[in-house]
Amino acid sequence: MSDPVVFTRRDFLKLVGIGVAGAAAGCAKPPAEKLIPYLNAPEDILPGVPYFYASTCRECPVGCGIVVKTREGRAIKLEGNPEHPVGMGGLCARGHAGLQGLYDPDRVKSPMMKQGGAWKAVTWDAAIATLVGKLAEAKGKVLLVTSNETGSLGSLAREFVAGAGGQHVMYEPFAYESVRAANAKTFGIAAVPRYDLAAARCVISFGADFLETFAVPTNQARGFAAMRATHEDGAGHFVAVEPRLSLTGANADEWVAVRPGGEMALALGMAHVILAEGLGSGVDASLVSAFTPEAVAASTDVSAETIQRLARMFAKQRPSLALAGGISTQSAEGTALVAAVNLLNFVVGNIGSTVKFDTPLSFDGVASFAQFKAQIDAMAAGDVGLMLVHGANPAYATPQWAGFAAAAAKVPFKVSLTGVLDETAELCDLILPSTHALESWGDAETAGGVHSLQQASMRHVTVFDARPLGDTLITLGKAAGFGATWPDAFFDYLKARWQPLHARFGAGRDFETFWLDVVKQGGVWGEASSPAVRWSGAPAFNAPQYTGTGELMLVIAPSNHFHDGRGANKPWLQETPDMTAKAVWGSWAEIHPETAAKLGVKTGDALQVATDAGTVELPAYLYAGIRKDVVAVTLGQGHTAYGRYAKGRGINALALVAEATDVASGALA
């Protein structure tokens, strides 16, 4: 027998290294590489030195200020801008994941045209020439659909459709229609107010997930922390009124598991107690005379004693704050619910104290769902000859009964300007990819008086052969003969739009000095002014009607990470566990353990959830933070396109939404 072979640790590592190299190179000589020295770098870039640029997050309509960290000209990290008054230095998970949208391997890499049902790459010149011809053919029947554009790009979009002949429609799946409509009715101000949680001594949320998906979560989380730090005389108390415990509710001192749809009655019952006991004033008590604690208890499953206790606490711990208007309460009575909570805040003097209209969120001009549905009907009737879409995905973010896909088929030519192959882009005939927000100049006024600048932090290089949307619109307008007065580049259009702001905020500086200061700060903002707010009246308050025939009620809940479907193509968000279910990469149905036991259901079992609108199948998740008569499904998944990370994962909960709207606001119910 031969002697055994003995290996030292060094010998082993040598052999492993040879094996790995041979496997990687196929036992061939490594290819020669030409190393290019970094000699002709831009002046503002040094190898190995990070640079930071102030900009604006565009992952949702809120528009928090961000700071972009770059290395060698490429963005590598996003953080909140502490100087910005909207986000106050905070940045949510969706904001952080915006970086993955920049480097998404499924982004459209160059213009493409559909030929024979398949996408074929075309040059920019050929694509522009084709679209200019289509603009001429569709004169007067052009539809431009975008997400909420509050700055210079929105202004250019309006000028573009004025020249082309048509309409610019801004569509957001969740545009706070009920909040705006209720505030218009009760206060005469159609806006989403600022909720000052830091100033509150007691907070009651009627289904508003203000720490994650409602209004400005990053800002509100800081205010909530300040409120919770106050404990003298019973202050710092938080009550969540909701049938399914959300992430925000999980942080509450008290959970009131109200029957779905009963939130409005509960708020009015509290107002009844406050007015009857002389703890508040300002409205006629007859407005809530029918909502006695006993009557409310019968329709909400909340005891009369609890209603009285909450009302007295809310009136005593002033200033207090009540919030409503989240996705899970977006019902046919959504506007009435917000109006009821407005009344509750008004009678105890919270308006102007913890509910402020000094810097409201800007959703002016954003279409309600009912208005957008009317536009879909116009498409179906043949009244649209050319449709261009940017930043919106209505093929996914509208229920199937709205008929967007069928209506789009009636439009002769459709163009996606977004740069991702989402469900709406798949219906189009041409794609002119736009650069990512981190590669584009722009601005936004997402809150009253806050003018944010969006800086092209990747200014020396773009990841793919894409162009800023503003440049594309200018090129099209000039080629079509109606953009002669525009500058050649959107950057110059943007700077010209900031001239009036220079007159207001320049403080003696010349424009270029002012502009450089704005670029460094990330925008400009002045002192906020609060308008005079008075009670204008309330809508009719009707008891909730339950029209279903089943024993269980369905709650459509917002996803922590992509509540309207945006962001589902980012693996960071898919991999981040849901805050309550701890689930990833899919959808699930939440059901109470006792209800599940009666049905013989265990966690992970396949459940079929059916409504009058449709049926879906998804795994069960047993969750004690839900009423026993409720099943909850979250939004944001179920894409049929939108890239490898989003496609085919979970279900689209809009398939379960019946054909109904909140008539008062036009919101999808």
Side-chain angles (χ1 to χ4, degrees):
M1 181 178 237
S2 58
D3 295 333
V5 179
V6 178
F7 287 103
T8 66
R9 179 174 179 274
R10 180 173 295 179
D11 293 332
F12 174 77
L13 293 175
K14 285 181 180 179
L15 289 172
V16 169
I18 293 171
V20 171
C27 297
K29 291 180 63 179
E33 294 184 9
K34 182 179 180 181
L35 301 179
I36 302 175
Y38 206 61
L39 297 179
N40 299 317
E43 293 183 0
D44 58 345
I45 291 180
L46 291 176
V49 178
Y51 286 81
F52 300 86
Y53 300 95
S55 190
T56 303
C57 179
R58 300 310 303 271
E59 294 301 309
C60 81
V62 170
C64 295
I66 58 173
V67 175
V68 186
K69 180 181 180 180
T70 67
R71 284 281 296 269
E72 283 74 61
R74 293 190 178 272
I76 63 170
K77 189 71 174 73
L78 305 180
E79 293 291 350
N81 181 355
E83 303 296 325
H84 199 278
V86 175
M88 298 178 64
L91 192 63
C92 69
R94 282 183 292 162
H96 282 287
L99 195 66
Q100 284 201 308
L102 173 65
Y103 299 112
D104 181 3
D106 294 323
R107 278 179 62 186
V108 180
K109 297 173 175 59
S110 65
M112 297 195 302
M113 187 175 295
K114 194 171 286 183
Q115 298 175 1
W119 291 108
K120 303 291 184 182
V122 295
T123 65
W124 271 97
D125 290 342
I128 292 292
T130 298
L131 187 48
V132 169
K134 297 297 181 181
L135 279 169
E137 294 176 12
K139 185 68 175 179
K141 298 173 66 176
V142 175
L143 173 63
L144 173 61
V145 180
T146 70
S147 55
N148 188 17
E149 294 292 347
T150 59
S152 299
L153 188 58
S155 174
L156 178 62
R158 291 187 291 273
E159 292 182 35
F160 178 86
V161 294
Q167 289 183 285
H168 173 213
V169 176
M170 295 188 293
Y171 176 65
E172 291 285 346
F174 305 110
Y176 304 102
E177 298 106 308
S178 299
V179 176
R180 291 185 285 150
N183 288 334
K185 176 65 176 177
T186 56
F187 302 133
I189 303 175
V192 181
R194 177 169 66 91
Y195 301 100
D196 191 352
L197 281 92
R201 292 170 55 82
C202 168
V203 173
I204 300 182
S205 170
F206 293 84
D209 187 20
F210 61 82
L211 293 181
E212 194 64 31
T213 60
F214 178 74
V216 191
T218 51
N219 189 318
Q220 290 157 184
R222 291 173 180 262
F224 178 71
M227 186 275 292
R228 297 287 275 168
T230 306
H231 297 294
E232 72 276 3
D233 193 27
H237 196 75
F238 171 40
V239 181
V241 178
E242 51 191 15
R244 176 248 183 199
L245 204 59
S246 63
L247 171 66
T248 297
N251 288 275
D253 297 291
E254 184 177 352
W255 173 36
V256 178
V258 67
R259 192 176 189 193
E263 296 90 345
M264 178 191 69
L266 181 56
L268 295 174
M270 290 174 59
H272 180 281
V273 173
I274 291 171
L275 292 172
E277 297 184 1
L279 301 176
S281 61
V283 300
D284 189 344
S286 64
L287 188 63
V288 294
S289 59
F291 294 88
T292 63
E294 293 74 20
V296 171
S299 64
T300 62
D301 294 341
V302 179
S303 69
E305 292 76 13
T306 298
I307 297 169
Q308 293 168 338
R309 177 177 56 81
L310 292 177
R312 292 162 185 159
M313 177 185 67
F314 190 75
K316 176 184 177 182
Q317 297 292 349
R318 301 189 191 185
S320 52
L321 173 63
L323 303 94
I327 294 169
S328 59
T329 54
Q330 190 166 306
S331 68
E333 298 293 335
T335 300
L337 165 62
V338 179
V341 171
N342 284 352
L343 188 150
L344 183 60
N345 278 316
F346 184 79
V347 297
V348 298
N350 291 337
I351 308 303
S353 177
T354 55
V355 181
K356 299 181 178 180
F357 289 90
D358 51 356
T359 55
L361 289 183
S362 179
F363 280 85
D364 295 343
V366 176
S368 68
F369 175 79
Q371 291 169 331
F372 190 68
K373 178 62 170 66
Q375 193 62 63
I376 294 174
D377 294 340
M379 292 163 54
D383 296 334
V384 176
L386 171 65
M387 180 175 68
L388 304 98
V389 184
H390 173 78
N393 186 12
Y396 168 86
T398 56
Q400 190 171 2
W401 54 260
F404 180 83
K410 301 290 183 66
V411 179
F413 201 76
K414 302 168 286 294
V415 183
S416 171
L417 302 168
T418 299
V420 292
L421 269 172
D422 57 21
E423 288 83 354
T424 303
E426 291 283 8
L427 301 177
C428 292
D429 305 290
L430 175 67
I431 299 179
L432 294 177
S434 295
T435 49
H436 190 272
L438 295 174
E439 303 170 298
S440 310
W441 284 94
D443 60 353
E445 189 180 355
T446 55
V450 179
H451 304 273
S452 304
L453 192 68
Q454 175 188 313
Q455 188 174 178
S457 53
M458 298 260 296
R459 66 188 67 184
H460 300 295
V461 60
T462 56
V463 179
F464 299 117
D465 184 18
R467 295 182 181 179
L469 175 61
D471 287 351
T472 300
L473 294 180
I474 287 174
T475 300
L476 286 170
K478 287 182 175 294
F482 57 80
T485 60
W486 296 338
D488 292 333
F490 178 69
F491 178 74
D492 297 320
Y493 181 95
L494 171 71
K495 288 186 70 174
R497 287 262 305 169
W498 276 71
Q499 290 287 353
L501 292 175
H502 170 243
R504 289 174 54 193
F505 299 103
R509 295 167 290 178
D510 62 85
F511 180 78
E512 288 304 320
T513 302
F514 164 76
W515 177 256
L516 289 176
D517 290 341
V518 166
V519 170
K520 287 188 290 185
Q521 181 172 275
V524 63
W525 33 86
E527 292 294 327
S529 59
S530 298
V533 180
R534 63 185 63 185
W535 184 256
S536 301
F541 296 119
N542 300 310
Q545 300 295 320
Y546 302 100
T547 58
T549 57
E551 295 181 2
L552 299 176
M553 289 176 281
L554 176 68
V555 169
I556 304 291
S559 163
N560 297 144
H561 307 311
F562 24 77
H563 65 284
D564 63 356
R566 276 180 284 199
N569 64 335
K570 298 177 177 66
W572 281 355
L573 295 181
Q574 290 281 8
E575 188 68 19
T576 302
D578 178 82
M579 301 299 184
T580 53
K582 304 299 186 286
V584 296
W585 293 97
S587 302
W588 57 92
E590 297 174 357
I591 187 170
H592 194 277
E594 292 185 21
T595 306
K598 292 179 181 179
L599 297 174
V601 172
K602 298 179 180 179
T603 294
D605 287 354
L607 289 184
Q608 191 177 77
V609 181
T611 68
D612 293 340
T615 303
V616 299
E617 187 173 292
L618 62 175
Y621 172 71
L622 275 58
Y623 180 41
I626 193 170
R627 282 174 56 102
K628 298 174 185 178
D629 56 355
V630 168
V631 172
V633 179
T634 57
L635 290 157
Q637 298 278 27
H639 285 272
T640 58
Y642 204 26
R644 71 190 73 177
Y645 303 114
K647 185 177 180 180
R649 303 188 187 280
I651 59 97
N652 186 350
L654 291 179
L656 299 171
V657 177
E659 187 171 351
T661 58
D662 176 6
V663 177
S665 67
L668 175 65

